[in-house]
Amino acid sequence: MKRLLLMSLLLVPVFLFAQQKTASVVLQPDQARLKISKHIYGQFAEHLGTLIYGGLWVGENSPIPNTKGYRNDVLEALKKLSIPNMRWPGGCFADEYHWMDGIGPREKRPKMVNTNWGGVVEDNSFGTHEFLNLCEMLGCEPYVSMNVGSGSVEEMAKWVEYMTSSGDSPMANLRRQNGREEPWKVRYVGVGNESWGCGGNMRPEYYSDLYRRYQTYARNYGNNRLFKVASGASDYDYNWTEVLMKNIGNQMSGISLHYYTVKGWSGSKGSATQFNTDDYYFTLGKCVEIEEVLLKHMEIMDRYDARKRIGLMVDEWGTWFDVEPGTNPGFLRQQSTIRDAFVAALSFNIFHKYTDRIQMTNIAQVVNVLQSMILTDGPKMLLTPTYHVFEMYKPFQEATNIPLTITSEKMTIRNKEVAVVSATAAKAQDGKVYVALANIDAVNGQQVSVALGNIAPKGVSGRILTAQNITDHNTFEKPSVIAPATFTGAKIQGGQLQVNMPSKSIVVLELSM
Ligand code: AHR
């Protein structure tokens, strides 16, 4: 009884200050044209930390339950996300990776030192076959990053032949010798990674010339058609995009962009789990700044490619904080809170608006690295809040985006106005309409009215992801602190949706027709 009294006293200040705010969203279903490519939901798997070894791959002789070396728990969890594509082997690692070291009998594969990430020994036991077979098991398309920084044109050309040729050619025969008769389907290839930095410290003019040369010898074998992605800019480097569009626009299918939600590149990036409300809003402000960055890159692309043939591929995005205390600084292992879940949701809400140009995005990274879907520790595994956003947003893959306008309270973060309520809506392939809403307010709830235009739903159901505290996260001891729950706070009233959102919550609503 005493405890109850104490608890209610502690809760008093929250009740006193928390308010129910209002926001409104207007859907324009008659303007719905753009399809949200499923590739917006892409993943990224680099040879970094415990992503590959321990995270995805434990080897056939591991006591951790596995299928041909891939750990079963992670495989099962990833299958539930309907992953459309996976980028591999890097990242910075890609420009030091020599693919021939990763084929043939595993015990004979040469070792190397992973100079980019922690200086650990890479034994190459996970190579081309292991990656492409994983993609087949997950039903996703591979996106292979080629080594331009320290690899030769010949090496790259042979890799494409090895993976995709069905002919009586040297590399196709080598593949057969290594146990794979039929070629794999490999559509997406990256020609270098961060060539302005870890991928060779090049100038855009020099990279453009190199790109022309490398891409020439990345051949289409049989009916395999390569989608060649040029190594694009980092966040605010608009000159890189300009020079590449001018010099190689006619030779690329896509150009990449990397944008991390990070405090800064020097000094501390802040803790992933111990932060205050100011840090929380700072991160979300930095996250939504991507929209301005995208618009500037897209404006440049439009000038050279008005018909929007070339895709903007945001093939690295997500949060970047200090590593988990006590872990190898080169392993980039970090926890994920409801703040990270918001970064995922707000990013998707933005990406969905520009899918006439944004053809793919890849969150960094899938397991145990940066804003991951999954964390493992030996045999243990947990799903992060970010995983749950990817899962809740699944119906948006290949759905038709419904444009919308939002009127909501704004807060000033990093000298910019940020709407407290963010939303996206789409007509999905199952005929239903999905509306996702995010209320980033750490204290106040929101009564959101959604005007549906000519959509007349028969019913509404939904799920919510929320947390008691902004720093809450899932641990191996308590893996379900943040997990989706049934949401009953939405109703249809007078042709509108009325949604009663708690503070710091993400809601995905399903409207049945
Ligand atoms: O995702 C981690 C690293 O970030 C990648 O290897 C690199 O491309 C980027 O700088």
Tab-separated table of all heavy atoms in Angstrom, residues 291-330:
chain	number	residue	atom	x	y	z
A	291	GLU	N	16.122	15.108	-45.121
A	291	GLU	CA	15.200	15.505	-46.196
A	291	GLU	C	15.786	16.665	-47.004
A	291	GLU	O	15.773	16.648	-48.238
A	291	GLU	CB	13.834	15.877	-45.617
A	291	GLU	CG	12.837	16.228	-46.712
A	291	GLU	CD	11.392	16.134	-46.253
A	291	GLU	OE1	11.145	16.125	-45.035
A	291	GLU	OE2	10.503	16.075	-47.143
A	292	GLU	N	16.321	17.636	-46.295
A	292	GLU	CA	16.936	18.793	-46.952
A	292	GLU	C	18.133	18.339	-47.800
A	292	GLU	O	18.328	18.802	-48.926
A	292	GLU	CB	17.404	19.698	-45.814
A	292	GLU	CG	17.820	21.062	-46.174
A	292	GLU	CD	18.278	21.786	-44.893
A	292	GLU	OE1	17.530	21.779	-43.882
A	292	GLU	OE2	19.393	22.339	-44.906
A	293	VAL	N	18.915	17.417	-47.236
A	293	VAL	CA	20.099	16.907	-47.941
A	293	VAL	C	19.669	16.146	-49.203
A	293	VAL	O	20.225	16.338	-50.291
A	293	VAL	CB	20.924	16.004	-46.984
A	293	VAL	CG1	22.055	15.299	-47.716
A	293	VAL	CG2	21.468	16.831	-45.827
A	294	LEU	N	18.663	15.327	-49.069
A	294	LEU	CA	18.160	14.574	-50.229
A	294	LEU	C	17.688	15.527	-51.314
A	294	LEU	O	18.000	15.360	-52.491
A	294	LEU	CB	16.979	13.679	-49.814
A	294	LEU	CG	17.299	12.477	-48.932
A	294	LEU	CD1	16.007	11.862	-48.395
A	294	LEU	CD2	18.095	11.430	-49.692
A	295	LEU	N	16.933	16.542	-50.903
A	295	LEU	CA	16.377	17.479	-51.884
A	295	LEU	C	17.484	18.176	-52.666
A	295	LEU	O	17.367	18.370	-53.879
A	295	LEU	CB	15.473	18.505	-51.190
A	295	LEU	CG	14.120	17.948	-50.730
A	295	LEU	CD1	13.417	18.912	-49.789
A	295	LEU	CD2	13.223	17.636	-51.929
A	296	LYS	N	18.571	18.513	-51.985
A	296	LYS	CA	19.676	19.196	-52.678
A	296	LYS	C	20.373	18.255	-53.658
A	296	LYS	O	20.684	18.639	-54.778
A	296	LYS	CB	20.656	19.773	-51.667
A	296	LYS	CG	20.087	20.994	-50.955
A	296	LYS	CD	21.130	21.731	-50.143
A	296	LYS	CE	20.489	22.921	-49.452
A	296	LYS	NZ	21.170	23.360	-48.266
A	297	HIS	N	20.604	17.023	-53.230
A	297	HIS	CA	21.236	16.064	-54.164
A	297	HIS	C	20.292	15.775	-55.339
A	297	HIS	O	20.723	15.675	-56.489
A	297	HIS	CB	21.600	14.761	-53.448
A	297	HIS	CG	22.807	14.894	-52.566
A	297	HIS	ND1	24.094	14.965	-53.060
A	297	HIS	CD2	22.925	14.987	-51.215
A	297	HIS	CE1	24.954	15.095	-52.056
A	297	HIS	NE2	24.265	15.113	-50.919
A	298	MET	N	19.011	15.675	-55.038
A	298	MET	CA	18.050	15.347	-56.103
A	298	MET	C	17.896	16.503	-57.088
A	298	MET	O	17.699	16.279	-58.272
A	298	MET	CB	16.706	14.951	-55.491
A	298	MET	CG	16.817	13.626	-54.739
A	298	MET	SD	15.259	12.900	-54.214
A	298	MET	CE	14.655	14.113	-53.095
A	299	GLU	N	18.034	17.713	-56.568
A	299	GLU	CA	17.950	18.888	-57.469
A	299	GLU	C	19.109	18.834	-58.472
A	299	GLU	O	18.930	19.081	-59.672
A	299	GLU	CB	17.978	20.171	-56.607
A	299	GLU	CG	17.867	21.481	-57.369
A	299	GLU	CD	19.219	22.019	-57.824
A	299	GLU	OE1	20.182	21.938	-57.028
A	299	GLU	OE2	19.310	22.479	-58.967
A	300	ILE	N	20.283	18.453	-58.004
A	300	ILE	CA	21.444	18.326	-58.912
A	300	ILE	C	21.172	17.208	-59.921
A	300	ILE	O	21.382	17.373	-61.132
A	300	ILE	CB	22.735	18.021	-58.108
A	300	ILE	CG1	23.052	19.188	-57.172
A	300	ILE	CG2	23.908	17.727	-59.046
A	300	ILE	CD1	24.088	18.868	-56.101
A	301	MET	N	20.687	16.098	-59.423
A	301	MET	CA	20.419	14.965	-60.320
A	301	MET	C	19.378	15.338	-61.377
A	301	MET	O	19.513	14.991	-62.549
A	301	MET	CB	19.951	13.749	-59.511
A	301	MET	CG	21.039	13.181	-58.607
A	301	MET	SD	20.484	11.760	-57.656
A	301	MET	CE	20.492	10.481	-58.911
A	302	ASP	N	18.366	16.079	-60.958
A	302	ASP	CA	17.303	16.485	-61.903
A	302	ASP	C	17.867	17.308	-63.057
A	302	ASP	O	17.397	17.208	-64.187
A	302	ASP	CB	16.224	17.311	-61.183
A	302	ASP	CG	15.345	16.436	-60.306
A	302	ASP	OD1	15.442	15.196	-60.408
A	302	ASP	OD2	14.566	16.999	-59.512
A	303	ARG	N	18.875	18.108	-62.753
A	303	ARG	CA	19.433	18.964	-63.810
A	303	ARG	C	20.103	18.138	-64.903
A	303	ARG	O	20.142	18.513	-66.061
A	303	ARG	CB	20.428	19.962	-63.217
A	303	ARG	CG	19.731	21.206	-62.711
A	303	ARG	CD	20.719	22.323	-62.455
A	303	ARG	NE	21.324	22.200	-61.131
A	303	ARG	CZ	22.604	21.924	-60.919
A	303	ARG	NH1	23.437	21.742	-61.935
A	303	ARG	NH2	23.067	21.843	-59.689
A	304	TYR	N	20.667	16.994	-64.516
A	304	TYR	CA	21.356	16.160	-65.509
A	304	TYR	C	20.484	15.007	-65.998
A	304	TYR	O	20.777	14.387	-67.007
A	304	TYR	CB	22.642	15.580	-64.901
A	304	TYR	CG	23.679	16.626	-64.616
A	304	TYR	CD1	23.758	17.235	-63.363
A	304	TYR	CD2	24.571	17.035	-65.613
A	304	TYR	CE1	24.705	18.211	-63.098
A	304	TYR	CE2	25.524	18.008	-65.348
A	304	TYR	CZ	25.593	18.596	-64.089
A	304	TYR	OH	26.534	19.558	-63.839
A	305	ASP	N	19.446	14.709	-65.244
A	305	ASP	CA	18.654	13.518	-65.545
A	305	ASP	C	17.189	13.825	-65.208
A	305	ASP	O	16.628	13.302	-64.243
A	305	ASP	CB	19.186	12.338	-64.697
A	305	ASP	CG	18.337	11.092	-64.817
A	305	ASP	OD1	17.785	10.843	-65.904
A	305	ASP	OD2	18.228	10.348	-63.805
A	306	ALA	N	16.608	14.662	-66.055
A	306	ALA	CA	15.247	15.141	-65.777
A	306	ALA	C	14.245	13.984	-65.770
A	306	ALA	O	13.222	14.049	-65.090
A	306	ALA	CB	14.858	16.178	-66.815
A	307	ARG	N	14.555	12.925	-66.503
A	307	ARG	CA	13.583	11.818	-66.576
A	307	ARG	C	13.726	10.833	-65.421
A	307	ARG	O	13.056	9.809	-65.364
A	307	ARG	CB	13.727	11.106	-67.915
A	307	ARG	CG	13.257	12.035	-69.065
A	307	ARG	CD	13.563	11.462	-70.423
A	307	ARG	NE	12.935	10.170	-70.626
A	307	ARG	CZ	13.364	9.277	-71.513
A	307	ARG	NH1	14.410	9.518	-72.255
A	307	ARG	NH2	12.731	8.131	-71.645
A	308	LYS	N	14.618	11.148	-64.526
A	308	LYS	CA	14.803	10.355	-63.301
A	308	LYS	C	15.116	8.889	-63.598
A	308	LYS	O	14.560	7.975	-62.992
A	308	LYS	CB	13.585	10.473	-62.380
A	308	LYS	CG	13.298	11.898	-61.923
A	308	LYS	CD	12.235	11.904	-60.852
A	308	LYS	CE	11.649	13.273	-60.594
A	308	LYS	NZ	12.522	14.200	-59.915
A	309	ARG	N	16.019	8.686	-64.549
A	309	ARG	CA	16.454	7.329	-64.871
A	309	ARG	C	17.395	6.787	-63.787
A	309	ARG	O	17.344	5.621	-63.417
A	309	ARG	CB	17.171	7.338	-66.233
A	309	ARG	CG	17.610	5.986	-66.728
A	309	ARG	CD	18.524	6.092	-67.937
A	309	ARG	NE	19.777	6.786	-67.695
A	309	ARG	CZ	20.855	6.245	-67.108
A	309	ARG	NH1	20.827	4.978	-66.715
A	309	ARG	NH2	21.960	6.948	-66.927
A	310	ILE	N	18.239	7.675	-63.285
A	310	ILE	CA	19.275	7.248	-62.335
A	310	ILE	C	18.706	7.237	-60.913
A	310	ILE	O	18.083	8.203	-60.478
A	310	ILE	CB	20.486	8.211	-62.407
A	310	ILE	CG1	21.055	8.197	-63.839
A	310	ILE	CG2	21.558	7.836	-61.397
A	310	ILE	CD1	22.028	9.327	-64.112
A	311	GLY	N	18.954	6.154	-60.222
A	311	GLY	CA	18.432	6.039	-58.860
A	311	GLY	C	19.365	6.671	-57.839
A	311	GLY	O	20.584	6.587	-57.966
A	312	LEU	N	18.772	7.304	-56.842
A	312	LEU	CA	19.566	7.741	-55.692
A	312	LEU	C	19.479	6.610	-54.671
A	312	LEU	O	18.381	6.236	-54.237
A	312	LEU	CB	19.026	9.055	-55.120
A	312	LEU	CG	19.791	9.628	-53.925
A	312	LEU	CD1	21.260	9.894	-54.255
A	312	LEU	CD2	19.160	10.933	-53.438
A	313	MET	N	20.621	6.055	-54.338
A	313	MET	CA	20.665	4.877	-53.471
A	313	MET	C	21.286	5.295	-52.126
A	313	MET	O	22.501	5.509	-52.058
A	313	MET	CB	21.520	3.765	-54.098
A	313	MET	CG	21.470	3.702	-55.618
A	313	MET	SD	19.888	3.174	-56.276
A	313	MET	CE	20.084	1.411	-56.246
A	314	VAL	N	20.451	5.432	-51.118
A	314	VAL	CA	20.980	5.845	-49.805
A	314	VAL	C	21.491	4.566	-49.138
A	314	VAL	O	20.841	4.002	-48.252
A	314	VAL	CB	19.889	6.540	-48.961
A	314	VAL	CG1	20.498	7.155	-47.699
A	314	VAL	CG2	19.183	7.623	-49.774
A	315	ASP	N	22.654	4.104	-49.610
A	315	ASP	CA	23.031	2.736	-49.220
A	315	ASP	C	23.776	2.634	-47.897
A	315	ASP	O	24.269	1.560	-47.558
A	315	ASP	CB	23.701	1.980	-50.377
A	315	ASP	CG	24.991	2.585	-50.875
A	315	ASP	OD1	25.533	3.448	-50.175
A	315	ASP	OD2	25.447	2.187	-51.963
A	316	GLU	N	23.797	3.742	-47.137
A	316	GLU	CA	24.180	3.683	-45.718
A	316	GLU	C	23.438	4.796	-44.992
A	316	GLU	O	23.578	5.971	-45.343
A	316	GLU	CB	25.696	3.866	-45.526
A	316	GLU	CG	26.494	2.662	-45.972
A	316	GLU	CD	27.991	2.761	-45.663
A	316	GLU	OE1	28.367	3.430	-44.678
A	316	GLU	OE2	28.770	2.152	-46.421
A	317	TRP	N	22.659	4.438	-44.011
A	317	TRP	CA	21.989	5.436	-43.160
A	317	TRP	C	21.710	4.808	-41.799
A	317	TRP	O	21.724	3.583	-41.655
A	317	TRP	CB	20.683	5.939	-43.798
A	317	TRP	CG	19.566	4.925	-43.947
A	317	TRP	CD1	19.372	4.078	-45.005
A	317	TRP	CD2	18.506	4.655	-43.027
A	317	TRP	NE1	18.249	3.306	-44.803
A	317	TRP	CE2	17.700	3.640	-43.595
A	317	TRP	CE3	18.143	5.171	-41.779
A	317	TRP	CZ2	16.553	3.113	-42.956
A	317	TRP	CZ3	17.002	4.650	-41.139
A	317	TRP	CH2	16.218	3.647	-41.740
A	318	GLY	N	21.434	5.681	-40.834
A	318	GLY	CA	21.101	5.194	-39.491
A	318	GLY	C	21.906	5.926	-38.434
A	318	GLY	O	22.679	6.836	-38.736
A	319	THR	N	21.692	5.533	-37.184
A	319	THR	CA	22.356	6.226	-36.079
A	319	THR	C	23.780	5.708	-35.871
A	319	THR	O	24.087	4.560	-36.181
A	319	THR	CB	21.589	6.026	-34.751
A	319	THR	OG1	21.449	4.632	-34.506
A	319	THR	CG2	20.232	6.679	-34.799
A	320	TRP	N	24.598	6.581	-35.350
A	320	TRP	CA	25.986	6.221	-35.031
A	320	TRP	C	26.321	6.861	-33.688
A	320	TRP	O	26.451	8.078	-33.586
A	320	TRP	CB	26.923	6.706	-36.139
A	320	TRP	CG	28.300	6.119	-36.122
A	320	TRP	CD1	29.071	5.862	-35.030
A	320	TRP	CD2	29.075	5.726	-37.268
A	320	TRP	NE1	30.281	5.323	-35.423
A	320	TRP	CE2	30.316	5.239	-36.786
A	320	TRP	CE3	28.865	5.740	-38.648
A	320	TRP	CZ2	31.333	4.771	-37.641
A	320	TRP	CZ3	29.873	5.288	-39.485
A	320	TRP	CH2	31.083	4.806	-38.992
A	321	PHE	N	26.423	6.032	-32.659
A	321	PHE	CA	26.753	6.515	-31.310
A	321	PHE	C	28.075	5.905	-30.865
A	321	PHE	O	28.694	5.116	-31.601
A	321	PHE	CB	25.643	6.125	-30.313
A	321	PHE	CG	24.292	6.708	-30.651
A	321	PHE	CD1	23.228	5.893	-31.008
A	321	PHE	CD2	24.081	8.084	-30.615
A	321	PHE	CE1	21.982	6.430	-31.321
A	321	PHE	CE2	22.838	8.634	-30.924
A	321	PHE	CZ	21.792	7.801	-31.288
A	322	ASP	N	28.488	6.244	-29.638
A	322	ASP	CA	29.681	5.603	-29.074
A	322	ASP	C	29.412	4.103	-28.932
A	322	ASP	O	28.264	3.695	-28.714
A	322	ASP	CB	29.975	6.175	-27.679
A	322	ASP	CG	30.500	7.611	-27.752
A	322	ASP	OD1	30.913	8.034	-28.850
A	322	ASP	OD2	30.469	8.299	-26.718
A	323	VAL	N	30.473	3.319	-29.020
A	323	VAL	CA	30.284	1.866	-28.916
A	323	VAL	C	29.843	1.484	-27.501
A	323	VAL	O	30.082	2.244	-26.543
A	323	VAL	CB	31.558	1.063	-29.291
A	323	VAL	CG1	31.928	1.305	-30.744
A	323	VAL	CG2	32.715	1.377	-28.345
A	324	GLU	N	29.241	0.324	-27.402
A	324	GLU	CA	28.803	-0.167	-26.101
A	324	GLU	C	30.020	-0.266	-25.189
A	324	GLU	O	31.043	-0.840	-25.599
A	324	GLU	CB	28.179	-1.553	-26.291
A	324	GLU	CG	27.002	-1.800	-25.402
A	324	GLU	CD	26.352	-3.126	-25.733
A	324	GLU	OE1	25.775	-3.224	-26.825
A	324	GLU	OE2	26.452	-4.042	-24.903
A	325	PRO	N	29.944	0.298	-23.966
A	325	PRO	CA	31.111	0.289	-23.079
A	325	PRO	C	31.715	-1.120	-22.958
A	325	PRO	O	30.988	-2.107	-22.845
A	325	PRO	CB	30.539	0.758	-21.741
A	325	PRO	CG	29.320	1.551	-22.109
A	325	PRO	CD	28.778	0.935	-23.365
A	326	GLY	N	33.039	-1.153	-23.025
A	326	GLY	CA	33.736	-2.429	-22.854
A	326	GLY	C	33.897	-3.228	-24.133
A	326	GLY	O	34.486	-4.304	-24.121
A	327	THR	N	33.367	-2.725	-25.242
A	327	THR	CA	33.515	-3.478	-26.494
A	327	THR	C	34.611	-2.841	-27.349
A	327	THR	O	34.984	-1.689	-27.143
A	327	THR	CB	32.190	-3.534	-27.295
A	327	THR	OG1	31.820	-2.192	-27.655
A	327	THR	CG2	31.071	-4.171	-26.496
A	328	ASN	N	35.104	-3.615	-28.303
A	328	ASN	CA	36.162	-3.153	-29.201
A	328	ASN	C	35.694	-1.898	-29.965
A	328	ASN	O	34.680	-1.937	-30.657
A	328	ASN	CB	36.478	-4.291	-30.189
A	328	ASN	CG	37.666	-3.982	-31.079
A	328	ASN	OD1	37.924	-2.825	-31.418
A	328	ASN	ND2	38.386	-5.018	-31.456
A	329	PRO	N	36.412	-0.782	-29.841
A	329	PRO	CA	35.972	0.449	-30.511
A	329	PRO	C	35.844	0.283	-32.027
A	329	PRO	O	35.090	1.004	-32.676
A	329	PRO	CB	37.073	1.462	-30.188
A	329	PRO	CG	37.952	0.837	-29.185
A	329	PRO	CD	37.670	-0.616	-29.096
A	330	GLY	N	36.571	-0.672	-32.587
A	330	GLY	CA	36.503	-0.893	-34.035
A	330	GLY	C	35.332	-1.752	-34.450
A	330	GLY	O	35.143	-2.034	-35.635
